[in-house]
Amino acid sequence: MSREGPPKPSLRSLVLGCSNEVFRKMEKLVITVAPTGSVPKKSINPHVPITPEEIIGEGVRCEAAGAAVIHIHARNPKDESPSPDYHLFEEIYGGLKEKTNLILQISTGGRAGMTYDKRAERLKLRPEMASLTTGSVNFPDSIYENSPSLIEALAKDMLAYGIKPEMEIFDTSMIANALDLARKKLALTPLHFDFVMGLKGAIPATIENLVHLRSSIPSDATWTVAGVGPSQLTMGVHSILMGGHVRVGLEDNVYYRRGEPATNVRLVERIVRLAAELGRDVATPDEARRIMNLRRGTAS
Ligand code: MG
């Protein structure tokens, strides 16, 4: 051995070695695309898909770009308004199932029709996942009302159909409600959460809040972040670094950058590029199924 001893590692190898170690422990990144939602119209961004054909085509392109999950809303093709029409959901679901391997996640959101019947009917399609908002919140222009009995009824339906809920969290208290559903054995576990951040009236999009939300869920739960507006980019990057997953799409954000209309594909592609730069691999739909424990079964 030389008098200097073994060669000292360079600063570069220390830094890279450290980050490699951190990322080795993380699962691959699951990218969800929410292409449509209930609000944005073509007058705001001409790329918002409205008809079933447009939504299915968007799913095909976003899967090719790197998305593993698609969050589905339906619109009335005549006036672009949100629609609870079962047949529209059926057409979108059928087309996506035929043409993609994406995980299909149907929204049970209430903007399109607030009655339980209208919100639950689409679950008969038995998608692998469905969104479940576990509390009420103010939207900028209205109340998004989800009573305890309605939440429980939707959870029971999802359980009966073997659908994994994505607990849609607009504020911290909704996590407690989701945990309560799991305690009552009304939800498939491990739980999966979506933190919706930066919407006026709901939890602000800050890294402190994201750390708090992440710290408030069970250690075996999986989680994704849906930043609204400009926070889609910042919250997405934080989530990549923290081991969470990312939702992008025109439902939550219509701009690529200030004044420049986005497309769903470009939003997915940007997250894929950022993940690559940060050293995190992107999950295929089948890898995402394993990561989110999408095995149809009974509640634990
Ligand atoms: Mg939605």
Side-chain angles (χ1 to χ4, degrees):
M1 188 184 284
S2 73
R3 275 165 49 206
E4 289 91 26
K8 286 185 179 164
S10 67
L11 179 62
R12 176 184 154 78
S13 71
L14 279 174
V15 171
L16 286 178
C18 170
S19 65
N20 284 347
E21 184 57 32
V22 169
F23 279 98
R24 250 197 300 277
K25 289 178 183 164
M26 288 185 189
E27 289 283 12
K28 289 186 178 182
L29 180 72
V30 177
I31 300 176
T32 296
V33 65
T36 310
S38 300
V39 178
K41 296 194 171 184
K42 285 187 186 288
S43 56
I44 298 288
N45 181 325
H47 305 298
V48 179
I50 298 295
T51 66
E53 193 182 1
E54 287 173 343
I55 294 169
I56 295 161
E58 202 75 334
V60 171
R61 287 185 288 276
C62 288
E63 181 183 29
V69 184
I70 185 166
H71 175 79
I72 301 168
H73 286 258
R75 299 285 192 100
N76 184 338
K78 289 202 181 85
D79 62 3
E80 304 184 28
S81 61
S83 173
D85 186 333
Y86 178 81
H87 297 292
L88 284 174
F89 276 97
E90 188 178 36
E91 191 176 344
I92 296 165
Y93 179 83
L96 286 169
K97 201 166 160 85
E98 185 195 329
K99 295 185 174 168
T100 76
N101 185 34
L102 290 167
I103 296 165
L104 307 186
Q105 180 193 92
I106 290 185
S107 169
T108 59
R111 269 188 192 269
M114 296 298 283
T115 66
Y116 158 74
D117 289 346
K118 284 290 181 197
R119 291 171 64 170
E121 191 180 17
R122 62 198 80 158
L123 295 176
K124 290 178 190 160
L125 293 165
R126 299 176 66 105
E128 284 180 274
M129 298 184 84
S131 62
L132 178 62
T133 304
T134 51
S136 299
V137 64
N138 277 353
F139 281 157
D141 58 351
S142 58
I143 302 171
Y144 182 25
E145 194 178 320
N146 296 288
S147 69
S149 59
L150 176 110
I151 295 165
E152 213 166 289
L154 288 171
K156 281 179 180 167
D157 288 347
M158 291 183 198
L159 190 62
Y161 292 124
I163 299 169
K164 178 90 172 235
E166 177 169 276
M167 303 297 185
E168 208 166 31
I169 303 301
F170 289 80
D171 229 321
T172 316
S173 59
M174 295 190 192
I175 293 177
N177 294 341
L179 297 179
D180 203 37
L181 289 174
R183 254 192 307 275
K184 293 176 178 169
K185 300 195 182 305
L186 293 179
L188 293 174
T189 57
L191 296 176
H192 176 72
F193 293 87
D194 175 36
F195 304 139
V196 184
M197 305 183 75
L199 180 72
K200 187 172 180 288
I203 195 164
T206 66
I207 189 167
E208 290 83 359
N209 283 337
L210 181 56
V211 169
H212 176 59
L213 293 172
R214 198 264 316 255
S215 305
S216 303
I217 62 175
S219 58
D220 65 348
T222 50
W223 55 280
T224 191
V225 180
V228 174
S231 73
Q232 185 167 92
L233 177 58
T234 51
M235 288 295 105
V237 172
H238 288 319
S239 188
I240 293 171
L241 292 169
M242 289 166 62
H245 303 285
V246 177
R247 168 169 135 172
V248 291
L250 300 180
E251 170 167 351
D252 307 322
N253 169 38
V254 292
Y255 294 109
Y256 190 81
R257 58 174 69 86
R258 182 182 287 268
E260 182 181 332
T263 69
N264 286 302
V265 168
R266 286 187 74 204
L267 293 171
V268 172
E269 287 174 341
R270 178 161 65 180
I271 288 296
V272 170
R273 281 198 307 276
L274 286 164
E277 287 294 329
L278 295 168
R280 190 137 174 232
D281 292 332
V282 171
T284 65
D286 283 341
E287 288 169 336
R289 288 181 172 93
R290 179 190 60 74
I291 291 167
M292 295 191 291
N293 297 284
L294 297 186
R295 296 179 300 264
R296 290 191 184 273
T298 54
S300 61

